Amino acid sequence: MPKFIPILIFTLSVLSLQAQVSKNERDALLDLYYSTNGAEWIVPWKLNTPVASWYGVAVKDNKVVGLKLLKNNLNGTIPSSIEELEHLKSLNLTFNNIKGEIPTTITELRELESLEMSMNSISGELPRDIGNLNKLKILSLFNNKIKGDIPRSIGELKDLNLLNLSSNEFIGDIPNEIGNLTKLVSLGLFDNKLIGFIPNEIGKMNKLRELVPANNKFIGSIPQEID
């Protein structure tokens, strides 16, 4: 057998393994890797291996459905190409050094059920269209530098169980639309620059078990509707 045939078979096998996910998804992961100094991660990806074997990447039916890179020394920004991970259900970048803004393109991840990016250095504003992520059950962004008001579209996240925006720089009042989050169990708003009254609409949250509004500039008392 010619020597090149085993080499060719091996090469084709490697290419086949690497083709487990689409080129767009793989390129989006690479963008994240390079934009967050992947070579310096605690557990860097072995880029010459199949995507399904990369640390923290979950692949199902040849689609990237999970990305769990908490405490992995990511240092940099989230690229706008994150939107190419269109099948992503869970994104966890907690306890890193992510900087810059949350790209508006993240609101294109319509399958996302859990978005966790707490304990970073994220700045800028929360995307206006965050409500597009209407399958979200968990949105945790505490301890960043996110500013601006809480978008009214937050009220469209009707499957949310946990919303934690504590220890940021949010301003303005709590939008009345937040009362639409009737499945919410925990709401963290601690340590921001929020003002005004806590809206009576929060009383619609009959599953709410934890409300943390301290260290803001609210006036009045907690609405009686909250039992």
Side-chain angles (χ1 to χ4, degrees), residues 72-121:
N72 201 37
N73 197 37
L74 276 68
N75 190 346
T77 60
I78 302 172
S80 60
S81 58
I82 193 80
E83 67 176 323
E84 297 296 340
L85 301 176
E86 58 183 335
H87 307 287
L88 205 61
K89 293 181 179 295
S90 175
L91 176 59
N92 190 336
L93 304 178
T94 302
F95 283 100
N96 285 291
N97 193 24
I98 304 293
K99 305 179 184 71
E101 300 184 8
I102 299 173
T104 57
T105 54
I106 207 167
T107 63
E108 297 300 321
L109 302 179
R110 306 300 176 87
E111 299 300 315
L112 208 57
E113 297 177 0
S114 177
L115 177 57
E116 300 174 79
M117 295 193 291
S118 299
M119 302 298 296
N120 281 285
S121 299

Side-chain angles (χ1 to χ4, degrees), residues 171-184:
I171 62 173
D173 55 3
I174 302 174
N176 294 338
E177 287 83 355
I178 206 165
N180 295 332
L181 309 183
T182 55
K183 296 182 180 179
L184 207 62

Side-chain angles (χ1 to χ4, degrees), residues 38-199:
E40 299 299 321
W41 289 2
I42 294 173
V43 184
W45 288 337
K46 297 178 181 178
L47 302 183
N48 60 342
T49 62
V51 169
S53 71
W54 292 1
Y55 174 78
V57 179
V59 175
K60 183 178 180 181
D61 298 329
N62 298 332
K63 299 176 178 65
V64 178
V65 296
L67 195 53
K68 187 177 182 180
L69 295 170
L70 69 164
K71 297 183 179 179
N72 201 37
N73 197 37
L74 276 68
N75 190 346
T77 60
I78 302 172
S80 60
S81 58
I82 193 80
E83 67 176 323
E84 297 296 340
L85 301 176
E86 58 183 335
H87 307 287
L88 205 61
K89 293 181 179 295
S90 175
L91 176 59
N92 190 336
L93 304 178
T94 302
F95 283 100
N96 285 291
N97 193 24
I98 304 293
K99 305 179 184 71
E101 300 184 8
I102 299 173
T104 57
T105 54
I106 207 167
T107 63
E108 297 300 321
L109 302 179
R110 306 300 176 87
E111 299 300 315
L112 208 57
E113 297 177 0
S114 177
L115 177 57
E116 300 174 79
M117 295 193 291
S118 299
M119 302 298 296
N120 281 285
S121 299
I122 297 169
S123 57
E125 299 186 1
L126 199 57
R128 298 289 92 190
D129 293 330
I130 193 70
N132 288 348
L133 304 178
N134 55 22
K135 292 187 178 181
L136 272 185
K137 294 181 172 68
I138 296 174
L139 177 57
S140 182
L141 301 171
F142 75 84
N143 207 336
N144 279 287
K145 300 175 182 178
I146 304 171
K147 61 184 181 180
D149 59 351
I150 300 173
R152 298 195 176 279
S153 69
I154 203 92
E156 296 172 27
L157 305 180
K158 297 180 181 180
D159 283 339
L160 268 188
N161 301 137
L162 182 149
L163 174 60
N164 195 340
L165 305 178
S166 295
S167 297
N168 279 285
E169 299 175 14
F170 285 103
I171 62 173
D173 55 3
I174 302 174
N176 294 338
E177 287 83 355
I178 206 165
N180 295 332
L181 309 183
T182 55
K183 296 182 180 179
L184 207 62
V185 175
S186 177
L187 173 59
L189 300 171
F190 175 85
D191 193 19
N192 279 287
K193 299 176 182 178
L194 296 168
I195 61 174
F197 293 95
I198 297 176

Side-chain angles (χ1 to χ4, degrees), residues 207-219:
K207 294 186 177 180
L208 194 64
R209 296 294 174 265
E210 182 180 33
L211 172 62
V212 188
N215 283 22
N216 283 285
K217 297 180 180 180
F218 294 124
I219 56 178

Side-chain angles (χ1 to χ4, degrees), residues 17-57:
L17 285 171
Q18 289 182 339
Q20 287 183 359
V21 303
S22 71
K23 182 179 184 302
N24 284 351
E25 286 182 297
R26 189 174 190 277
D27 287 348
L29 291 174
L30 289 175
D31 285 348
L32 178 65
Y33 184 80
Y34 290 121
S35 68
T36 56
N37 199 17
E40 299 299 321
W41 289 2
I42 294 173
V43 184
W45 288 337
K46 297 178 181 178
L47 302 183
N48 60 342
T49 62
V51 169
S53 71
W54 292 1
Y55 174 78
V57 179

